[in-house]
Amino acid sequence: NVIDEEESEYKEDPKMDFNSQDMAPICMTGKWFGRSFNRFRQLAHMIEFSHQNGGRPIRLNRMFHKWSIGWWFDFDQRDESLSSNILPHITLESTRGDTQGCFHTKDLKGWHHYVAGHTPEGYSPGLASLHQIVQKGFFDEAYQRLNQYKEQFAEEQRTKGRAGFTSEQVQVATVHSRWLEGNCPGRIRNNLLYCSNALDFTDELAEEWAVNACSYTEGYVRQQLQSLGYDNEDIVVVLCADGQLEEEEATFAYRDDSKFQTQTALMAISDIHFGNPGSSVDMGIAHWRQGKAMFPAECFKD
C-alpha cells in the first residue's frame, strides 16, 4: 500500500501557530518502514518524544499523512476515555521535506524512524494512545461482527439442545494467524519478538510459540482455553488470518473475512485474544486491549 507522495497537494493546517518558538513542531521527514503496525510504532515514537518535550505538535510528511488518514486515522477525533495519554496535535508539513521551523534535537532521527531490533521493549504510551484516533467506523464494524458471531454461536448451541442459551452468555476468542511468508518460526526462535512487556525469554518458550503460535489450529486454541480454566462450551473462536496456511486455517469453524482494519479492531475488543509474538500487529493489539485477556500471557502480559 505504498502511496505516491506527489499525488495530491495539501494546505498547511491553519489552526496552529508554527512560527511560535514554544510551538515549534516535531517533524516527520524520513521514509516509513514495514507495514501498518511498524508505521504505527514510528508515530508512537514521535508522540512519546512530543510528551517529553512539552507536548509539541507533530508534523507529518505528505506520504505518511496521506497513508494515515486514508487507511487508519481521524486526527480530528479524540476519545480520551480509551487512554490516559492525551495526544498532541498532529498535522501536515507545508512542503515536501521542509523542516524549516521544526524543533530539532540530535536524537530526533531515532524517534521518527522505525528503530530496528525487535527484542521485548515494554509498554509504549504512544502506541496505546493511537487507539483514540483509529477511525470510529472500523470499531463500529467490529462490534457488529462481534455481535453476529455471538448470535450465530448461540443459535447453534440452542439447536444442540441448550434451550435458553443466549448471545449474552457467549465469549468471543479471536485468533491471529500470521505466517509471515514462512518467516514466523525463525523470527521467534531468534528472539525477534513484538511483546507488550518484558519477559524472561527461554528456548522452551521460543519453540512452543514457533510451533503453535505461528500456525494456530482451533484444536490447539481450545486445548489452551481448557487448560486456562475457560468453559469451551460458551466460547466462539474466530480466526483472523493472512491466508497463508490453508490447512491450519481450515480447522476453524469461524473465519472472519472483513478488511484488515476491521479485523484489527475486532481483535482489540474481543473477550479473549491469541496473538503471535512474532507479529507487530499483536504488539499494538496488546496495548489497545488495555489488560483484557491475551495469550501467550508470557509475551502479552499487562
Side-chain angles (χ1 to χ4, degrees), residues 120-136:
E121 55 191 58
Y123 180 76
S124 166
L127 192 54
S129 68
L130 291 178
H131 194 303
Q132 299 178 41
I133 54 172
V134 171
Q135 293 177 27
K136 183 177 178 293

Side-chain angles (χ1 to χ4, degrees), residues 75-86:
F75 291 136
D76 293 323
Q77 172 183 296
R78 290 289 191 278
D79 185 350
E80 294 169 8
S81 67
L82 296 173
S83 173
S84 60
N85 302 286
I86 307 303

